[in-house]
Short mmCIF file of all heavy atoms in Angstrom, two decimals:
data_model
loop_
_atom_site.label_atom_id
_atom_site.label_comp_id
_atom_site.label_asym_id
_atom_site.label_seq_id
_atom_site.Cartn_x
_atom_site.Cartn_y
_atom_site.Cartn_z
N TYR X 26 -29.62 22.48 -18.69
CA TYR X 26 -28.73 22.83 -17.57
C TYR X 26 -27.36 22.31 -17.91
O TYR X 26 -27.18 21.10 -18.13
CB TYR X 26 -29.24 22.28 -16.25
CG TYR X 26 -28.22 22.51 -15.13
CD1 TYR X 26 -28.00 23.83 -14.67
CD2 TYR X 26 -27.53 21.46 -14.57
CE1 TYR X 26 -27.05 24.04 -13.68
CE2 TYR X 26 -26.59 21.68 -13.55
CZ TYR X 26 -26.36 22.95 -13.11
OH TYR X 26 -25.44 23.14 -12.16
N THR X 34 -9.10 34.84 -10.54
CA THR X 34 -8.36 35.71 -9.69
C THR X 34 -8.37 37.12 -10.22
O THR X 34 -8.50 37.30 -11.41
CB THR X 34 -6.88 35.24 -9.52
OG1 THR X 34 -6.29 35.26 -10.82
CG2 THR X 34 -6.82 33.86 -8.92
N LEU X 37 -6.85 43.64 -6.93
CA LEU X 37 -7.46 44.91 -6.59
C LEU X 37 -6.36 45.83 -6.10
O LEU X 37 -5.14 45.48 -6.09
CB LEU X 37 -8.55 44.72 -5.49
CG LEU X 37 -9.61 43.65 -5.92
CD1 LEU X 37 -10.51 43.36 -4.70
CD2 LEU X 37 -10.44 44.11 -7.04
N ASP X 54 -31.59 31.02 2.09
CA ASP X 54 -31.40 32.12 3.04
C ASP X 54 -31.52 31.65 4.47
O ASP X 54 -30.81 32.18 5.33
CB ASP X 54 -32.47 33.23 2.79
CG ASP X 54 -32.14 34.00 1.55
OD1 ASP X 54 -31.03 34.09 1.11
OD2 ASP X 54 -33.14 34.64 0.97
N ASP X 83 -11.60 29.73 8.56
CA ASP X 83 -10.55 29.95 9.53
C ASP X 83 -9.13 30.13 8.85
O ASP X 83 -8.35 30.92 9.29
CB ASP X 83 -10.46 28.75 10.48
CG ASP X 83 -11.65 28.67 11.45
OD1 ASP X 83 -12.37 29.71 11.53
OD2 ASP X 83 -11.82 27.63 12.05
#
Side-chain angles (χ1 to χ4, degrees):
Y26 173 70
T34 59
L37 306 172
D54 286 338
D83 289 346

